[in-house]
Amino acid sequence: MNVINLHEYEENFEGEWWSPTAPEERRHGRLECVPGKRIELHLTSIGLGIPFHESPAILCGQANNKKITLWNCFQNRTSVSGNEFKARYSVQVVIPGITANGEGDLMFDEAEFSLEHLSDWIGRRSINESRILQDMELRLDLQDDIIFRVSDRIEGSICQSFAMDHPDFYSVKISQHDSIRLKFKEPKALGEIKKEVTSWRWLISLLM
C-alpha cells in the first residue's frame, strides 16, 4: 500500500534542497515546522544566483539523513545582500521518505491524519498504571482498529499507536496516539486527498 501520512511535524530539517526539474541546482536550507501555524523553507545561495528562478510547486530535499518532498510550495520572500541570495517558501505538505520527480509520483491509496484531542474524543485510554512499592507498572491494552465504511470507494479506520521516550536514565514517558486512516478503492492524487482530509478535519472538529 502507498500511504501518505498527513500528520503535522514538529521538527526542523536542515540539508540540501532542489527542484525536480533542475536537480543539479541544489541549495542549502532549513525547513521549519510549527504545528498549526506554518511550514517554511529558508534557502541560502552564495554566489550561485537566486534559488530557483520560478516558484516550483514541488521541492525535494536530503535533510536530517532523510529524503523529503515538499508539496505545494510558494515563494513569499526574496532578499539579496552582496553575493548572498535568500529565499523563503511557504509549504503545505511535508512528505518524508521519498523525493518525487513530479505529481505523477504523488499518487496514494491510503491517507493517515490526526487531530488534537482525538484520543479524548474517542474515549479510548489504553495506558493503565498502578504503583508497586517505589516502582511504576504500566500496562498497555492494545485495542483493535475501529473500522467504518464511508462509501463503496472509501473505507475508514481509527488506529492506535504508542511512543516511548526516555528523557533521562531514571524515567520513561509513554504516550498514546490515535489517528484516522482513509483507504481508497483507487489511488488518488495528493491534491484530491488533501481536500478529502480537510473535509474530514472540519467535520470531526465540529463534532468534538
Side-chain angles (χ1 to χ4, degrees):
M1 291 295 178
N2 198 8
V3 182
I4 174 67
N5 191 320
L6 294 174
H7 296 303
E8 293 185 326
Y9 294 90
E10 189 173 3
E11 186 177 354
N12 294 326
F13 298 88
E14 189 158 354
E16 299 295 316
W17 306 87
W18 64 92
S19 167
T21 58
E24 70 283 353
E25 294 186 28
R26 302 195 174 206
R27 302 290 189 266
H28 183 80
R30 179 182 178 86
L31 180 69
E32 298 179 353
C33 303
V34 182
K37 294 185 178 180
R38 60 182 173 82
I39 306 173
E40 289 183 344
L41 176 65
H42 299 261
L43 294 181
T44 302
S45 177
I46 300 177
L48 297 174
I50 298 174
F52 318 127
H53 295 287
E54 297 180 359
S55 186
I58 296 174
L59 286 170
C60 298
Q62 183 73 36
N64 296 14
N65 296 317
K66 296 179 182 178
K67 295 179 179 179
I68 300 175
T69 295
L70 307 179
W71 181 79
N72 209 5
C73 306
F74 174 75
Q75 184 175 318
N76 58 25
R77 190 172 189 272
T78 304
S79 63
V80 181
S81 177
N83 68 340
E84 182 180 74
F85 295 82
K86 292 184 178 181
R88 184 180 67 195
Y89 295 82
S90 294
V91 180
Q92 190 170 17
V93 179
V94 179
I95 312 170
I98 65 171
T99 49
N101 291 317
E103 293 283 354
D105 291 342
L106 300 176
M107 300 288 292
F108 303 93
D109 45 26
E110 289 190 19
E112 187 173 328
F113 65 97
S114 61
L115 285 158
E116 190 176 5
H117 306 306
L118 180 61
S119 297
D120 296 326
W121 181 63
I122 296 169
R124 294 201 303 177
R125 281 294 169 190
S126 299
I127 302 176
N128 299 306
E129 60 182 53
S130 58
R131 291 190 177 277
I132 301 178
L133 298 178
Q134 295 181 347
D135 298 323
M136 176 74 76
E137 180 184 88
L138 293 174
R139 186 176 74 250
L140 301 181
D141 298 325
L142 298 178
Q143 301 184 35
D144 294 334
D145 294 346
I146 300 173
I147 308 295
F148 57 93
R149 185 169 295 279
V150 181
S151 67
D152 59 345
R153 294 182 175 273
I154 303 177
E155 181 181 274
S157 60
I158 300 174
C159 312
Q160 193 175 72
S161 61
F162 298 90
M164 182 180 294
D165 297 310
H166 298 273
D168 53 57
F169 186 77
Y170 300 99
S171 61
V172 61
K173 179 183 178 183
I174 301 177
S175 56
Q176 176 182 328
H177 179 79
D178 284 284
S179 59
I180 295 176
R181 178 171 288 205
L182 301 177
K183 182 178 180 181
F184 308 108
K185 186 176 181 180
E186 297 177 353
K188 286 191 173 189
L190 183 51
E192 294 180 75
I193 292 175
K194 195 71 173 66
K195 290 179 182 178
E196 186 80 44
V197 169
T198 299
S199 298
W200 276 93
R201 286 184 186 275
W202 277 106
L203 175 61
I204 296 171
S205 295
L206 288 171
L207 293 173
M208 281 183 172

